[in-house]
Amino acid sequence: MTQVFPIILAAGQGTRMRSDLPKVLHAVAGKPMLQHVIDTCRKLTNDRLAVVYGHGGEQVKQSIQEDGIVWVLQAEQKGTGHAVAQAIELAPDDAPVLIAYADTPLIRPETLQQLVNTLDKAALAVLTTKPVNPTGYGRIVRNEHGAVLKIVEEKDANESTRAIQEINTGFMVAKGVDFKRWLKRLTPNNAQGEYYLTDCISMAVAEQREVKAVICADPLEAEGINNRVQLARLERVAQQRQVEALMLAGVTVADPARLDIRGQLKAGKDCFIDINVLFLGEVTLGERVIIEPNCVIQDAKIGDGVHIKANTCIESAVVAADCDIGPFARLRPGTVLAEQAKIGNFVETKKTNIGKGSKVSHLSYIGDTEMGEEVNIGAGTITCNYDGVNKFKTTIGDRVFVGSCTQLVAPVTIEDDATIGAGSTITKTAPAGQLTLARAKQMTVKGWQRPVKEQK
Ligand code: UD1
Ligand code: CA
C-alpha cells in the first residue's frame, strides 16, 4: 500500500484562546501544538504531509521551518470538510489519507497507526472517545447492532443524541479516492452553515461501505485545546508523560509534579532531581547527576557525577564530569567547565573556559576568559571585560592564585603559577610564578585623633 498521507487542519481561528498568537502556535511542553502533531504524523510516513493553514497565516508557516510539508491555504474558514477539500487533490487516490487536528497535541503515534490499520477492514475509520463531559463535540450515532451510522454535531443534535457519550475526536482515515468523491458532495445545510467533514461518515454508510470506530481509551490523549484552561490541563498531562518516561529510564525524581521539561531531556541512570527544577531546550545529563531545588537548566550538557546546588541557572553551557556548581550560580552561554571545576555561590560566568579542578567559589564575575587548571579565584573577583564598546579577553594560566576582591582589566594575562594580591586592579601582564599586586600602600597616621562634637 502507498504511504499514509496526513492532512493536518490548522486553519481555525481559536477565538476562545483570546490571543494574538494563532491557537496552534501555543506551546505544550515547550513546543507549538502544531509541531507536536507534525512530529507525531511523521512517525507514520517518511513522505510529505499537508498542513492546512489560514488564521495567522504567515506566522504559522514561519514558525515551523522544515522540509516535507506542503502548506495549503484555506483563505476562509468554512468548516472542517472545506479545509480538507483544499488539500485532498494532493493525496494519491490509493493512499490512506489521515485527517489530524493541530489543536490535539497529545495524540500518540500508536493510536494513529491503529486507526490507519483499521482501513484494512473498512472504507472509513474514525477515532472516537468517551469523555466525562461530551458537551460541544460531535456525537457518534450507532445502530442497534453497534455499527456507526453518522456523526451529529452538538448544535444539530436533539436531546437524545446529546445524551450519547461517545464523541468524534476529529481524527479519521479513508482512501484518497473516497475522500475526493465524498468531499465534492458536501453541503453546508446545517446549524452552523459549514461544510462538515463528519458528513463523510453518513455518505460512506449510504454507499453501503463499512465505517469503523476506534475508541481511544484515554480521552485526554484525544482532547482538543480550545481555551487556556484546557491548555494548562494538557500541559500537566504532557509533563506527567515525560517525567514517567524519565523515571522509568532510571532517574529519581523527588516529586513528579514539580519538574517541568519544555524541550528534550536525556539523562543517564541514577540521577536525582529535586523539586521545582525546569529544563528548557535540549539538555543532556550524564549518570549520577544531582540537581537540587529551584534550578533552571537550558540547552546544556552536564557530565557524570556533577552536583548542581539549589537556585542555579545554566544556559548554553557544557559541564564536564564531577563539577560542583552553586548554590545560586549562573552559568551563561559559552561557559565550558572542565572536570572537577567548582563554581560557587553568586558567581556568574559567560563565554569562559574553566580548566580542570579550578575553583571560583564566591561572588565573582568571570567573562570572556580562558582559565587553566587548578586555579583558585578569590571571593569578589571581577573580570572587567567591557569598556562600554568592545569586549576583551582575560587569560589565566595554570595554578594561578588570585586574591579576593581583585579586578582583572581585560585584555590582560595572568601567567602560570602567578599570585595576585587581594584587592588589586590588574591592567598589565602578571608574570609567571611571582606575586603581583596593585593597590595603594597601607599607612598609619601617627597621633591622629577622632574629631569631637563642637560645644555650642
Ligand atoms: C470538530 C468536529 C466534531 C468533533 C470536534 C473535536 C466537524 C464538523 N466537527 O468540531 O465532530 O467532535 O471537532 O474537537 O468536523 N479547521 C480548519 N478550517 C476550518 C474549520 C476548522 O482548519 O474551516 C480546523 C481547526 O483549526 C481545528 C479543527 O479543524 O484544528 C477542528 O475545528 P473546530 O472548529 O475546533 O471543530 P469543532 O467545531 O470543534
Ligand atoms: Ca474544537
Side-chain angles (χ1 to χ4, degrees):
M1 194 152 54
T2 11
Q3 289 222 45
V4 176
F5 185 75
I7 298 178
I8 301 173
L9 304 190
Q13 209 178 347
T15 327
R16 283 166 286 174
M17 293 300 282
R18 300 190 187 278
S19 176
D20 289 336
L21 190 69
K23 175 166 85 171
V24 296
L25 295 186
H26 281 260
V28 171
K31 190 161 87 172
M33 329 182 190
L34 171 58
Q35 186 75 60
H36 279 274
V37 178
I38 290 173
D39 293 350
T40 303
C41 286
R42 287 239 192 260
K43 298 200 171 122
L44 277 74
T45 174
N46 35 45
D47 210 341
R48 311 163 302 158
L49 53 83
V51 176
V52 180
Y53 73 105
H55 189 79
E58 284 310 303
Q59 204 182 346
V60 173
K61 240 165 114 173
Q62 264 158 27
S63 67
I64 313 280
Q65 302 271 355
E66 54 181 72
D67 298 334
I69 296 181
V70 192
W71 292 94
V72 181
L73 179 67
Q74 184 196 21
E76 238 187 302
Q77 280 80 65
K78 298 187 197 167
T80 48
H82 181 258
V84 176
Q86 309 309 300
I88 197 66
E89 290 307 325
L90 297 164
D93 277 351
D94 60 343
V97 175
L98 170 69
I99 312 300
Y101 284 4
D103 61 1
T104 309
L106 298 191
I107 194 75
R108 289 176 197 266
E110 300 79 25
T111 306
L112 295 183
Q113 189 63 58
Q114 194 193 344
L115 189 67
V116 168
N117 294 347
T118 306
L119 211 56
D120 293 346
K121 299 164 281 182
L124 195 157
V126 56
L127 187 69
T128 69
T129 193
K130 292 175 181 166
V132 183
N133 179 6
T135 307
Y137 295 102
R139 306 297 205 285
I140 307 296
V141 179
R142 295 174 182 258
N143 68 13
E144 65 276 22
H145 307 296
V148 176
L149 292 180
K150 59 181 174 178
I151 296 176
V152 178
E153 291 305 301
E154 167 100 12
K155 288 187 176 132
D156 301 295
N158 59 26
E159 209 166 318
S160 65
T161 306
R162 282 186 193 175
I164 297 171
Q165 276 279 305
E166 191 184 6
I167 62 111
N168 172 29
T169 65
F171 290 83
M172 61 177 78
V173 57
K175 287 266 178 66
V177 65
D178 291 323
F179 269 134
K180 287 173 192 175
R181 188 176 62 258
W182 296 326
L183 291 172
K184 279 194 193 111
R185 306 206 316 247
L186 290 183
T187 58
N189 298 331
N190 51 57
Q192 303 184 78
E194 286 183 359
Y195 295 89
Y196 288 170
L197 177 66
T198 43
D199 287 347
C200 293
I201 281 97
S202 45
M203 288 182 190
V205 170
E207 289 174 353
Q208 313 215 317
R209 314 267 312 274
E210 182 101 28
V211 175
K212 281 212 181 290
V214 172
I215 303 176
C216 185
D218 176 9
L220 285 172
E221 181 189 337
E223 182 168 324
I225 293 176
N226 292 317
N227 59 43
R228 297 190 204 222
V229 176
Q230 287 173 308
L231 181 68
R233 182 163 63 225
L234 292 199
E235 175 72 26
R236 289 338 303 162
V237 176
Q239 291 302 336
Q240 192 188 336
R241 275 189 189 179
Q242 294 180 146
V243 74
E244 278 173 11
L246 196 66
M247 292 187 291
L248 293 173
V251 173
T252 299
V253 173
D255 180 357
R258 282 185 288 173
L259 161 64
D260 276 29
I261 303 166
R262 299 186 199 141
Q264 279 266 329
L265 173 64
K266 287 195 198 122
K269 61 176 180 309
D270 293 320
C271 291
F272 175 79
I273 303 174
D274 216 316
I275 57 171
N276 295 335
V277 174
L278 173 60
F279 294 97
L280 299 163
E282 297 221 350
V283 177
T284 312
L285 306 180
E287 298 186 353
R288 291 168 281 102
V289 173
I290 297 173
I291 305 178
E292 293 186 7
N294 309 320
C295 292
V296 180
I297 302 177
Q298 175 169 12
D299 295 313
K301 263 186 90 162
I302 311 293
D304 293 343
V306 171
H307 189 162
I308 302 173
K309 293 175 181 155
N311 303 296
T312 289
C313 296
I314 297 178
E315 183 187 350
S316 301
V318 179
V319 176
D322 302 316
C323 288
D324 201 301
I325 304 168
F328 295 98
R330 180 171 183 213
L331 308 192
R332 290 173 51 205
T335 298
V336 179
L337 307 188
E339 285 156 49
Q340 293 157 30
K342 178 174 183 220
I343 301 294
N345 43 223
F346 306 107
V347 172
E348 172 181 346
T349 62
K350 187 217 75 174
K351 236 182 169 181
T352 282
N353 285 312
I354 306 265
K356 186 174 173 199
S358 290
K359 294 183 171 68
V360 188
S361 298
H362 333 265
L363 300 155
S364 293
Y365 171 63
I366 307 293
D368 300 303
T369 296
E370 197 66 48
M371 188 187 295
E373 300 181 356
E374 304 298 335
V375 170
N376 195 313
I377 302 287
T381 298
I382 306 291
T383 54
C384 309
N385 59 333
Y386 187 49
D387 63 7
V389 184
N390 297 300
K391 297 268 168 73
F392 298 97
K393 198 168 158 181
T394 300
T395 306
I396 299 171
D398 294 337
R399 296 169 305 277
V400 164
F401 182 95
V402 176
S404 295
C405 217
T406 291
Q407 299 108 58
L408 303 171
V409 182
V412 72
T413 299
I414 315 297
E415 294 182 350
D416 289 351
D417 301 290
T419 300
I420 307 296
S424 294
T425 299
I426 302 294
T427 56
K428 296 194 284 276
T429 299
Q434 299 185 53
L435 170 67
T436 299
L437 50 149
R439 64 181 183 226
K441 269 222 167 77
Q442 181 170 329
M443 62 170 202
T444 303
V445 179
K446 282 218 170 105
W448 180 84
Q449 288 187 331
R450 288 187 185 171
V452 287
K453 192 132 186 153
E454 271 180 45
Q455 301 292 335
K456 289 228 174 97

